[in-house]
Amino acid sequence: MNFLSVFALFLLPTVAFAAPPTVAVDVGHGGKDTGAISARGRSEFEFNLDFSRVLAASLRQHELGVREVNFDGNIGSLAARPQAAVGSDFFIAVHHDSIGEAWLLNWTWNGQPQTYTEVKRGYGIFVSAQNPDLETSLRCASTIGAMMRRAGFEPSPWHARKHLAADAENGVWYYDNLVVLYRTTLPAVLFEAGVIKHRDEELELLDPERQARMADAVATGIAACLYVRAAEPLTEK
């Protein structure tokens, strides 16, 4: 989906809704499984929670409802996450990316040994072909990606090594066996905000202004996609 296609979404007639669409925002990992460790030793869960809070606020500013999933870090199973989102209209799992050990280098930060990479950075958006509403998942993923690029963020090409492209231009890839994407009744995406093993990008991901700009891009994409979906006429099957 290119920028013109995204902008066309906003030109559709205004539609009145009984209630705004609701987005389930799932904070990846948690207290027991904290996820990847950044180049400076911070857990992925901390990054995920920080960005999810900013994203939730931005979604509300875009007049969308928000269902907070795993904001306390206590959800134990992957299957429980989509269950907690039942009743929502869209599901987004928030994560931050790492890289395989073969691509890690050693360094010391604050007196502690850490690892980092120099070869991978950028965001990624994932969908599952097993999702029950793949069409909407793909459309929302591409719209999010297009708005991310418009805001100046760059997708990581690294995912082409392992994943089939759904919309490589906008950073969208298939990842079919992700439980949170296929064990749900909702259109769903997994959003990797960036690579916390990359030392420069780690610092960028911690910047509040950049977080707000990224959250606005993601929320704008979701809002455009969901309101267009709600505006579509029902057809007999």
Side-chain angles (χ1 to χ4, degrees):
M1 180 178 292
N2 58 32
F3 294 151
L4 291 178
S5 299
V6 174
F7 295 146
L9 297 178
F10 294 97
L11 299 178
L12 292 177
T14 301
V15 179
F17 302 100
T22 297
V23 180
V25 179
D26 172 41
V27 183
H29 299 285
K32 293 183 179 180
D33 172 18
T34 58
I37 301 299
S38 77
R40 291 172 176 82
R42 191 171 192 248
S43 76
E44 181 190 348
F45 175 70
E46 294 176 272
F47 282 89
N48 296 343
L49 180 58
D50 286 350
F51 182 73
S52 293
R53 286 170 171 162
V54 180
L55 176 59
S58 187
L59 288 165
R60 293 183 176 110
Q61 290 173 358
H62 283 73
E63 300 184 352
L64 293 167
V66 175
R67 178 165 295 177
E68 298 181 354
V69 178
N70 197 43
F71 275 57
D72 60 6
N74 289 330
I75 290 185
S77 72
L78 293 176
R81 296 169 184 269
Q83 290 174 2
V86 171
S88 304
D89 298 285
F90 188 74
F91 181 94
I92 179 168
V94 173
H95 284 258
H96 288 71
D97 214 352
S98 185
I99 196 170
E101 290 188 8
W103 302 96
L104 292 174
L105 302 170
N106 296 311
W107 76 315
T108 299
W109 173 255
N110 280 347
Q112 298 295 320
Q114 303 290 350
T115 57
Y116 71 97
T117 187
E118 295 180 340
V119 298
K120 180 183 178 184
R121 63 173 296 155
Y123 74 85
I125 305 170
F126 296 91
V127 297
S128 171
Q130 301 179 56
N131 181 274
D133 190 349
L134 177 59
E135 180 180 358
T136 303
S137 298
L138 285 169
R139 183 172 63 198
C140 288
S142 287
T143 308
I144 293 168
M147 296 311 299
M148 285 282 290
R149 291 177 55 233
R150 179 173 180 265
F153 299 103
E154 295 185 5
S156 174
W158 192 267
H159 303 297
R161 294 167 174 257
K162 295 177 59 177
H163 300 284
L164 180 66
D167 177 3
E169 181 182 16
N170 290 314
V172 183
W173 308 88
Y174 284 105
Y175 200 155
D176 293 343
N177 62 347
L178 284 174
V179 172
V180 295
L181 297 186
Y182 75 80
R183 291 283 293 274
T184 178
T185 59
L186 310 174
V189 302
L190 186 143
F191 177 72
E192 297 271 13
V195 181
I196 56 176
K197 278 295 188 186
H198 190 287
R199 291 181 294 185
D200 292 340
E201 187 164 45
E202 176 190 14
L203 296 178
E204 294 169 6
L205 290 163
L206 289 168
D207 177 44
E209 185 280 330
R210 189 178 187 275
Q211 289 177 356
R213 185 161 53 88
M214 179 179 284
D216 181 70
V218 174
T220 300
I222 293 174
C225 177
L226 292 185
Y227 277 106
V228 166
R229 183 191 186 204
E232 289 175 343
L234 296 176
T235 57
E236 293 186 3
K237 296 183 178 180

